[in-house]
Amino acid sequence: MSVYENQNQGKGPTLEFWLDLSSNYSYLSAMRIDQEAAARCVRVEWKPFLLGPIFRELGWTRPLFVVQEEKGRYVWQDMVRQCRKYAIQWQKPSEFPRNTLLAARVAVLGNSAPWVGDFCREIMTLNFGYDRPVDSAETVSAVLDQLGLDTAYLLAQATTQENKEVLRKQTSDARARGIFGAPTFLVGDEMFWGNDRLEDALDLAAESN
Amino acid sequence: MSVYENQNQGKGPTLEFWLDLSSNYSYLSAMRIDQEAAARCVRVEWKPFLLGPIFRELGWTRPLFVVQEEKGRYVWQDMVRQCRKYAIQWQKPSEFPRNTLLAARVAVLGNSAPWVGDFCREIMTLNFGYDRPVDSAETVSAVLDQLGLDTAYLLAQATTQENKEVLRKQTSDARARGIFGAPTFLVGDEMFWGNDRLEDALDLAAESN
C-alpha cells in the first residue's frame, strides 16, 4: 500500500458492506457495489461474516425463507428476475445455503484488501451463477490462483486459530451492531438491510462526506 | 361508468395491486402507485384483502417483523427513510397492526371503482401519516364524506353478510394465488412482493400489453 493510500485510509465517504458468502441477496450486491460506489466516489469496506450463528442466536434455526415455503419459492423467482434486470449470471443452486466457511475465512483475511471484492464475487458466482459447490480447499485455491494471489500462504493463514477467531469476532461485531440479515450496509450507525437499499445507503454515504 | 370506460375495461396493460390497509409497506405503494402506473399507461386493479387470516394459515400468529424484534426495530427506521425519499407523510403508529376491518369491507365494495384508491390512501394516511386509529364507523364515515361519496349507503352495504363474504373470498383468493405478504403485485400469474418491486411489476405489465 502506498503512502498516499495510507493517508487516504478512513477518509472520504465510506460504506461498510456486511455480507455472507452463502447469501443470495449478498450476491446481487457484491456484483453491483463497485460500480455504484464508484459512481458516488464512496469507498467500500467489505465485511464478510457468518449469518448462521446470528440466526441461531435469534432463534431462527434456518434462514427464514427456507423455513417459510411460500416465501422460499418466491425468492427464487425474484432472483431470476433480479439477475436478469442487473445482467448478473444466475443458476439456481441445487443446495442452499451452501457451506462457505473456508471462503469466509479467506475473505476476512482480505477484509478491505484490494482483492477481497474479486475473491467474494468469484466464489459467489460459482455458487449462484453456476450452481457449483464452493466448500473445498481445491475450489478456493483455484479462485485464489486465478486472481494471481499467494494461494498457499492465504490458505494456511485462513485456517489458523487466530484467523478463525477473527471471523468469529467479525460475526459477533455484526450481531452487536444489530445486523440480522445480509447484505447489510452501514453508514456510521445507520443501517440499511437488503440489496434493494444499496443505492440509498451509498447516497447517504456520499452525502456524509 | 361511461360506455367508453366499459369497453376499455379489462383491455390494455393491467396490474393487480393486492394490499392490506394495515400494512405499512402497502401504504408506501398506495401513495406511489397512481403516478407510477400512469407514467407507464398501466391500469391498476385495487385488491384489498386481509393478511391476518393468511398469516394464521401459514402458522405466523403475528406479522413476522413484530415477532422478530430486531427486524421490527429496523422496519420503523426504514419507513422513516422511505417516506422521506418519496415525500410521503409519516408518523410512527403507536399501535401496530391497527384494526382496519371496517375500512377493508368498504374498500372491497369499491374494488376497482374510481374512488377506491383515494379511500385507501385517506385511511392509510390517517394511520401511518398521523398515528390515528381508523377502526371506528365515525372515522370511516368522515373519510367517505370527505370524498363526496354516499356514506350511509356504503356503510350499510359494507357490513352486509354478503359483503363480509366478498372480503373473505378476496382473502382466500389471495391465498390461492400464493400471496403471503402485502403489498403484492400480480401481472397475470407473475408475482412481485413488496413496495420495492412496484416499478418492476409495472414495467412488466407495460411490456405485456
Side-chain angles (χ1 to χ4, degrees), chain A residues 35-76:
Chain A
Q35 191 174 345
E36 296 293 336
R40 294 164 177 84
C41 301
V42 170
R43 192 170 62 89
V44 175
E45 284 182 14
W46 290 65
K47 299 278 196 179
F49 74 109
L50 300 180
L51 263 182
I54 290 181
F55 283 161
R56 280 192 292 278
E57 211 174 309
L58 292 170
W60 313 337
T61 47
R62 299 182 65 196
L64 284 183
F65 70 81
V66 174
V67 177
Q68 298 162 6
E69 220 179 294
E70 307 270 334
K71 203 173 280 186
R73 262 198 301 273
Y74 172 77
V75 163
W76 299 126

Side-chain angles (χ1 to χ4, degrees), chain B:
Chain B
M1 189 176 279
S2 75
V3 173
Y4 173 74
E5 280 168 326
N6 249 324
Q7 288 176 331
N8 204 43
Q9 190 78 12
K11 291 186 186 168
T14 301
L15 176 106
E16 294 175 37
F17 173 29
W18 292 78
L19 74 159
D20 181 308
L21 292 174
S22 69
S23 140
N24 55 299
Y25 286 113
S26 294
Y27 172 55
L28 296 182
S29 291
M31 301 306 279
R32 304 196 308 117
I33 199 165
D34 278 4
Q35 192 175 344
E36 295 294 337
R40 295 166 178 83
C41 301
V42 171
R43 194 170 60 87
V44 176
E45 283 182 15
W46 290 65
K47 298 280 195 179
F49 74 107
L50 301 179
L51 262 182
I54 290 180
F55 283 162
R56 279 193 292 279
E57 211 174 310
L58 292 170
W60 313 338
T61 47
R62 300 180 65 193
L64 283 182
F65 70 81
V66 175
V67 178
Q68 298 163 7
E69 220 179 296
E70 307 269 336
K71 202 173 280 186
R73 262 197 301 274
Y74 172 78
V75 163
W76 300 126
Q77 281 188 295
D78 190 49
M79 284 301 294
V80 170
R81 291 189 304 231
Q82 292 278 294
C83 285
R84 193 183 302 141
K85 177 176 169 180
Y86 296 122
I88 294 171
Q89 173 68 26
W90 172 252
Q91 192 175 339
K92 187 188 166 186
S94 49
E95 190 190 347
F96 181 84
R98 276 212 165 100
N99 181 350
T100 54
L101 181 59
L102 178 58
R105 285 176 174 158
V106 171
V108 286
L109 282 178
N111 252 338
S112 287
W115 54 267
V116 67
D118 286 337
F119 174 76
C120 292
R121 274 187 289 268
E122 286 297 326
I123 292 288
M124 296 172 102
T125 300
L126 286 173
N127 182 2
F128 295 110
Y130 297 96
D131 186 23
R132 294 264 305 278
V134 289
D135 56 340
S136 72
E138 288 68 28
T139 302
V140 174
S141 296
V143 169
L144 291 170
D145 284 349
Q146 191 187 322
L147 297 174
L149 296 168
D150 188 340
T151 301
Y153 173 77
L154 288 171
L155 271 192
Q157 286 299 107
T159 48
T160 60
Q161 206 48 48
E162 194 190 342
N163 188 59
K164 289 178 183 176
E165 203 44 60
V166 170
L167 180 58
R168 256 181 232 120
K169 176 70 165 53
Q170 188 123 301
T171 297
S172 62
D173 284 354
R175 176 81 182 99
R177 303 279 294 273
I179 290 174
F180 55 81
T184 292
F185 313 103
L186 287 173
V187 182
D189 285 333
E190 192 84 6
M191 186 168 88
F192 296 81
W193 171 50
N195 176 60
D196 294 323
R197 294 290 175 274
L198 173 59
E199 285 83 351
D200 289 351
L202 285 167
D203 287 344
L204 179 67
E207 286 166 23
S208 316
N209 187 3

Side-chain angles (χ1 to χ4, degrees), chain A residues 16-122:
Chain A
E16 293 175 36
F17 174 29
W18 292 77
L19 74 159
D20 180 306
L21 292 174
S22 69
S23 140
N24 54 299
Y25 287 113
S26 294
Y27 172 55
L28 296 182
S29 291
M31 301 306 279
R32 304 195 309 118
I33 199 165
D34 278 4
Q35 191 174 345
E36 296 293 336
R40 294 164 177 84
C41 301
V42 170
R43 192 170 62 89
V44 175
E45 284 182 14
W46 290 65
K47 299 278 196 179
F49 74 109
L50 300 180
L51 263 182
I54 290 181
F55 283 161
R56 280 192 292 278
E57 211 174 309
L58 292 170
W60 313 337
T61 47
R62 299 182 65 196
L64 284 183
F65 70 81
V66 174
V67 177
Q68 298 162 6
E69 220 179 294
E70 307 270 334
K71 203 173 280 186
R73 262 198 301 273
Y74 172 77
V75 163
W76 299 126
Q77 281 187 294
D78 190 48
M79 284 300 295
V80 170
R81 291 189 305 232
Q82 291 278 295
C83 286
R84 195 183 303 140
K85 177 175 169 179
Y86 296 122
I88 294 171
Q89 174 68 26
W90 171 252
Q91 192 174 340
K92 188 187 165 187
S94 50
E95 190 190 346
F96 181 85
R98 276 212 164 99
N99 180 351
T100 54
L101 181 59
L102 178 58
R105 285 174 174 159
V106 171
V108 286
L109 281 178
N111 253 335
S112 287
W115 54 267
V116 67
D118 286 335
F119 174 75
C120 292
R121 274 186 289 269
E122 287 295 327

